[in-house]
Amino acid sequence: LRAQPDITVVGTAPDGAQAVRLARRTRPDVALLDIRMPEMNGIEAARRILETEATRIIMITTFDLDDYVYDALTAGASGFLLKDVRAADLAEAVRTVARGDALLAPRITRRLIAEFSRQRRPAGNSGPLTPREAEVLRLIAQGLSNAEIAARLVVTEHTVKTHVARLLAKLNLRDRTQAVIHAYETGLVVPGA
């Protein structure tokens, strides 16, 4: 990452507790956390960092076990990558998450969708969302980009960004990854339906 002209590494920490202290002191845009760290695991470190900081978290691990993925995402992580990620892809992941988007390793995305498919829930309601915001949330959960949503709804991309920002604020969610989880957990989106 240090070799990238647009990325500044503000520090490294050998364990989760020190990572939390470092993040609170330096307030990075993005923190890369290993799931398995001494003293405090990465998921707990992510929770603690996100209590007080606007830092976005990317979890990195050699393990792609379902519990880790789900726990990391519900803790507020914006990305989840495996350690075999190529250097160029890691740098691009940092840029993606720094922009406010979410990122999951493709292998993890497939497993996460399969897990949600097994846990079919009855169709839910959209809660505080307007019908248009609920529709945008459904399209986000289908994996559409803002440009694709704009084309589907025949509106501008700026309008879609406004709907996304409003629905994230209304639902108190950090990013699109949490929005997708919310859509499936509440039954607003039912896999295979």
Side-chain angles (χ1 to χ4, degrees):
L1 292 175
R2 283 188 173 99
Q4 302 299 314
D6 60 331
I7 296 175
T8 302
V9 177
V10 297
T12 60
D15 62 60
Q18 288 184 50
V20 172
R21 288 192 293 275
L22 180 64
R24 288 182 177 163
R25 191 175 78 245
T26 61
R27 303 180 74 172
D29 295 321
V30 177
L32 303 174
L33 298 175
D34 194 337
I35 292 278
R36 292 190 176 182
M37 293 189 289
E39 289 196 42
M40 180 188 303
N41 70 45
I43 294 170
E44 182 58 28
R47 281 189 189 104
R48 292 188 186 191
I49 290 169
L50 294 171
E51 286 174 355
T52 59
E53 302 302 326
T55 299
R56 296 195 177 272
I57 306 290
I58 297 175
M59 303 303 297
I60 301 179
T61 186
T62 54
F63 307 97
D64 64 342
L65 303 175
D66 293 331
D67 288 344
Y68 289 145
V69 175
Y70 187 78
D71 289 348
L73 295 175
T74 56
S78 296
F80 197 102
L81 298 173
L82 300 177
K83 284 187 180 177
D84 64 359
V85 67
R86 294 177 325 144
D89 292 337
L90 177 61
E92 190 54 35
V94 169
R95 291 181 192 102
T96 298
V97 169
R99 282 194 305 266
D101 291 327
L103 183 89
L104 296 175
R107 192 164 79 207
I108 293 169
T109 303
R110 284 191 297 275
R111 293 182 67 202
L112 197 57
I113 290 170
E115 179 63 24
F116 278 123
S117 295
R118 282 192 332 212
Q119 299 176 5
R120 290 178 166 250
R121 289 182 167 77
N125 66 43
S126 58
L129 302 181
T130 66
R132 181 61 102 178
E133 290 165 347
E135 186 175 17
V136 169
L137 179 55
R138 282 186 201 94
L139 295 172
I140 290 170
Q142 291 173 16
L144 275 64
S145 68
N146 287 350
E148 292 167 328
I149 293 170
R152 174 88 53 98
L153 300 179
V154 192
V155 297
T156 67
E157 194 169 342
H158 177 74
T159 299
V160 173
K161 288 179 183 179
T162 300
H163 287 309
V164 171
R166 286 183 182 156
L167 73 88
L168 292 175
K170 285 181 178 181
L171 298 173
N172 196 28
L173 302 171
R174 289 179 56 85
D175 55 36
R176 292 170 77 99
T177 300
Q178 286 191 333
V180 171
I181 291 171
H182 174 82
Y184 281 96
E185 283 184 337
T186 61
L188 185 62
V189 174
V190 178

